[in-house]
Amino acid sequence: MQAAQDSPPVDHYTPVALDQATHDLMREIDRIFTKHPFFGSRKITAYLPQLGFSAGWHRVRRLMGIMGLQAIQKGPNTFSTAFTHTC
């Protein structure tokens, strides 16, 4: 058997700074979300072209995640009180 060979050194990922266009898009997403907190990423994506911005749904979703934005949604329709059976 041969001895295990060391793997070559790996260049680790170094994050790249966001460009100005991405910052402008994030600012616009934040402005829309502040005005309409119930808008999710898809609705914000549909709203952006009216304001002169263009971005795909996945990009908007990723940027909302970076900013910590999450749409206000109705929760599951569960009952707060338990039913009691009186048999």
Side-chain angles (χ1 to χ4, degrees):
M1 289 184 76
Q2 293 182 355
Q5 296 178 355
D6 291 334
S7 39
V10 177
D11 291 331
H12 293 285
Y13 175 75
T14 54
V16 179
L18 299 175
D19 61 345
Q20 187 59 39
T22 303
H23 279 289
D24 293 341
L25 180 61
M26 288 172 75
R27 192 175 306 112
E28 195 61 34
I29 289 171
D30 187 48
R31 193 182 71 71
I32 294 169
F33 187 79
T34 303
K35 188 175 180 181
H36 306 284
F38 48 89
F39 276 14
S41 57
R42 291 176 190 242
K43 193 156 283 220
I44 289 177
T45 302
Y47 196 78
L48 283 171
Q50 299 174 14
L51 306 171
F53 288 88
S54 177
W57 167 65
H58 291 287
R59 184 174 185 202
V60 172
R61 182 177 172 197
R62 180 180 63 83
L63 294 176
M64 285 180 71
I66 290 172
M67 294 185 290
L69 302 179
Q70 188 175 6
I72 297 172
Q73 299 175 356
K74 183 180 174 185
N77 192 13
T78 58
F79 294 99
S80 59
T81 59
F83 286 108
T84 55
H85 295 282
T86 55
C87 293

